Amino acid sequence: FTLNSKSTGHFSGVVYDSEGKEVEKLFRKYLPQGEYDFVWNPRNQPAGVYFVKLSDSFSSITRKVTYLK
């Protein structure tokens, strides 16, 4: 996943399953302006639909991900 930060601030990335349960925190950190790439390795998660939410202090964006084994 790519995060393009237009300003410096606190950012977080969280993965949820299709029922809305938190599966994993990808990151939670203070980042300067710039572009960042993050990888989610589902490890022992079952195949299915997941949602990745990227947030900063002012907004958030959620992306649907289908994981196939």
Side-chain angles (χ1 to χ4, degrees):
F1 303 97
T2 300
L3 171 66
N4 190 357
S5 165
K6 295 181 181 175
S7 62
T8 299
H10 294 279
F11 293 86
S12 66
V14 182
V15 179
Y16 298 93
D17 66 13
S18 61
E19 296 178 354
K21 295 178 191 169
E22 185 178 301
V23 173
E24 184 175 347
K25 285 186 170 119
L26 297 174
F27 61 91
R28 184 177 178 147
K29 54 177 78 173
Y30 185 82
L31 297 171
Q33 180 180 358
E35 187 172 290
Y36 301 91
D37 292 321
F38 297 94
V39 176
W40 175 50
N41 181 352
R43 294 184 207 107
N44 297 322
Q45 298 298 328
V49 175
Y50 294 88
F51 297 89
V52 178
K53 182 178 180 180
L54 303 175
S55 305
D56 65 15
S57 302
F58 305 103
S59 63
S60 66
I61 187 167
T62 304
R63 295 288 187 234
K64 182 178 172 182
V65 176
T66 302
Y67 172 54
L68 304 173
K69 283 193 172 187

